[in-house]
């Protein structure tokens, strides 16, 4: 009923205990009321945070670091809407936001794509009927191109240099129209893309070839809510799910000698093909020769029962939020 945007401080790395736990309580630096459910949020720069609302509004909040306060810096009212922007109840949820300063791209339940600039009042570009179904997530492919995923199992590429409001490429899951909820692209090899959806499967796509995923990997027992390549170590991938699990996928080494930790996840061990070490690291995600070696998968929250809704990863730190109304920070990912 009463939603807020909050900025927390987890102190410095010097206070980490033996178990990797932060010694001392996280500090709430500041918070501010937010109208509607917070559907997605992302930092635009060091001070500004872009927030997507279930009301269809997109707000830029500024974190004033000198006195630790938050203020609404800019707002696009009803950037997403079902009927028209003027009706009081016409807002459609803004489901995803991605920033590449100064540009901000939003997608929504109305199948609309908006391109905003942080300092401009009106949208730079709007693709009104980009999709007939809900767009669940968006990410940048390159500076002028974005990727979206929708509720009928499609991955689409949009090129803002083109005037026509059509995707430049469409990729589809084979078989049933399983909604896709999340998407991330490999930070170094932009043609490698990972998506996750309602059936909990992890799909890896090579957008240079074909229109179907190069591999479908059994993962979670329920919806996958988020997928992230590690930004500086992309042979590590992280996924989280409604089933309460958060998986760390590691293709970095030959794990044939290592014990499998997979049984705790309740599924039989999944062996995923992996390239030989002297090939580029990336071919680990694209290889289809199962005789080489395997991927190691570890459930980082083995006893969790409530949904893990969101995650982010940077350096040795993983942060995730759950339906237990708790935020967890793991500072020793690669210990």
């Amino acid at each position: 009923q009463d939603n807020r945007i909050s900025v927390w401080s987890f102190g410095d790395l010097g206070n980490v205990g033996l178990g990797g736990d932060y010694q001392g309580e996280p500090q709430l630096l500041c918070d501010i009321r937010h109208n509607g459910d917070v559907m997605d949020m992302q930092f635009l720069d060091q001070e500004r945070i872009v927030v997507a609302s279930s009301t269809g509004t997109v707000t830029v909040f500024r974190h004033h670091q000198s006195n630790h306060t938050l203020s609404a810096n800019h707002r696009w009212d009803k950037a997403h809407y079902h009927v028209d922007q003027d009706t009081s109840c016409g807002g459609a949820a803004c489901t995803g936001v991605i920033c590449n300063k100064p540009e901000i791209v939003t997608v929504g339940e109305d199948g609309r794509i908006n391109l905003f600039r942080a300092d401009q009042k009106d949208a730079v570009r709007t693709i009104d009927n980009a999709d007939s179904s809900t767009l669940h997530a968006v990410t940048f492919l390159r500076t002028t191109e974005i990727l979206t995923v929708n509720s009928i199992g499609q991955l689409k590429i949009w090129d803002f240099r083109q005037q026509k409001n059509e995707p430049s490429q469409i990729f589809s899951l084979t078989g049933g129209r399983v909604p896709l909820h999340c998407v991330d692209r490999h930070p170094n090899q932009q043609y490698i893309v990972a998506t996750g959806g309602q059936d909990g499967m992890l799909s890896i796509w090579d957008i240079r070839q074909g229109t179907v995923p190069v591999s479908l990997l059994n993962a979670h027992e329920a919806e996958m809510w988020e997928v992230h390549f590690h930004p500086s170590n992309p042979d590590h991938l992280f996924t989280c799910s409604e089933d309460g699990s958060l998986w760390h996928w590691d293709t970095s080494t030959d794990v044939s000698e290592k014990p499998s930790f997979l049984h705790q996840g309740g599924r039989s061990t999944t062996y995923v093909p992996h390239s030989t070490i002297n090939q580029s690291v990336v071919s680990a995600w694209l290889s289809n020769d199962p005789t080489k070696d395997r991927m190691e998968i570890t459930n980082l929250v083995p006893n969790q029962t409530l949904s893990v809704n969101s995650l982010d990863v940077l350096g040795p730190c993983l942060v995730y939020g759950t339906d237990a109304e708790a935020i967890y920070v793991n500072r020793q990912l690669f210990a």
Side-chain angles (χ1 to χ4, degrees), residues 129-150:
N129 299 309
D131 216 297
S132 56
S133 64
T134 296
L135 289 169
H136 282 139
V138 59
T139 195
F140 274 97
L141 181 60
R142 297 177 188 85
T143 48
T144 57
E145 287 180 297
I146 58 164
L147 289 161
T148 60
V149 290
N150 69 13

Side-chain angles (χ1 to χ4, degrees), residues 50-263:
V50 183
V51 183
S53 171
S54 59
T55 65
T57 294
V58 178
T59 310
V60 182
F61 291 97
R62 186 179 288 276
H63 174 217
H64 305 273
Q65 295 173 345
S66 53
N67 60 357
H68 286 308
T69 55
L70 275 167
S71 64
N73 182 240
H74 193 84
R75 180 179 287 118
W76 292 282
D77 283 314
K78 289 204 189 139
H80 295 273
Y81 55 91
H82 282 305
V83 188
D84 61 72
Q85 275 178 300
D86 303 322
T87 39
S88 58
C89 57
C94 177
T95 51
V97 59
I98 191 77
C99 302
N100 187 14
K101 185 182 173 184
E103 298 188 317
I104 299 161
V105 176
T106 70
V107 296
E109 278 183 3
D110 53 356
R112 191 173 270 107
I113 297 171
N114 290 306
L115 171 64
F116 297 110
R117 280 213 181 88
D119 47 3
Q120 293 185 16
K121 181 167 165 279
D122 296 319
V124 178
R125 176 92 181 264
T126 294
I127 304 178
D128 273 329
N129 299 309
D131 216 297
S132 56
S133 64
T134 296
L135 289 169
H136 282 139
V138 59
T139 195
F140 274 97
L141 181 60
R142 297 177 188 85
T143 48
T144 57
E145 287 180 297
I146 58 164
L147 289 161
T148 60
V149 290
N150 69 13
S151 58
I152 56 170
Q154 292 174 324
L155 169 70
K156 296 183 182 181
I157 299 177
W158 304 83
D159 187 341
F160 286 129
R161 292 167 302 187
Q162 296 181 1
Q163 288 311 301
K164 66 181 201 303
N165 292 339
E166 301 285 330
S168 52
Q169 277 180 278
I170 301 178
F171 305 84
S172 295
L173 290 173
T174 46
R177 296 183 159 196
V178 177
L180 291 172
H181 290 305
C182 52
V183 58
D184 197 27
R185 71 149 170 79
H186 193 287
N188 308 337
Q189 268 81 11
Q190 274 129 327
Y191 50 84
I192 295 178
V193 175
T195 63
Q198 189 155 327
D199 57 0
M201 299 274 279
L202 172 64
S203 309
I204 305 292
W205 313 69
D206 181 345
I207 60 173
R208 299 168 304 177
Q209 56 186 44
T211 57
V212 295
V214 288
S215 53
L216 286 169
L217 309 174
N218 270 324
H220 302 279
E221 303 283 349
E223 292 94 338
M224 186 190 296
W225 292 130
E226 197 107 60
V227 57
H228 275 300
F229 285 102
H230 192 286
S232 55
N233 205 342
D235 36 354
H236 297 267
L237 179 91
F238 299 85
T239 60
C240 64
S241 169
E242 180 72 25
D243 67 8
S245 61
L246 192 162
W247 283 19
H248 173 188
W249 306 69
D250 178 4
T251 67
S252 62
T253 49
D254 179 351
V255 294
S256 52
E257 309 303 312
K258 294 186 188 175
S260 167
F261 300 105
L262 266 181
H263 297 291

Side-chain angles (χ1 to χ4, degrees), residues 305-325:
T305 52
L306 295 170
S307 175
V308 182
N309 300 319
S310 188
L311 73 90
D312 206 355
V313 59
L314 186 69
C317 293
L318 168 76
V319 58
Y320 59 97
T322 75
D323 268 359
E325 295 187 10

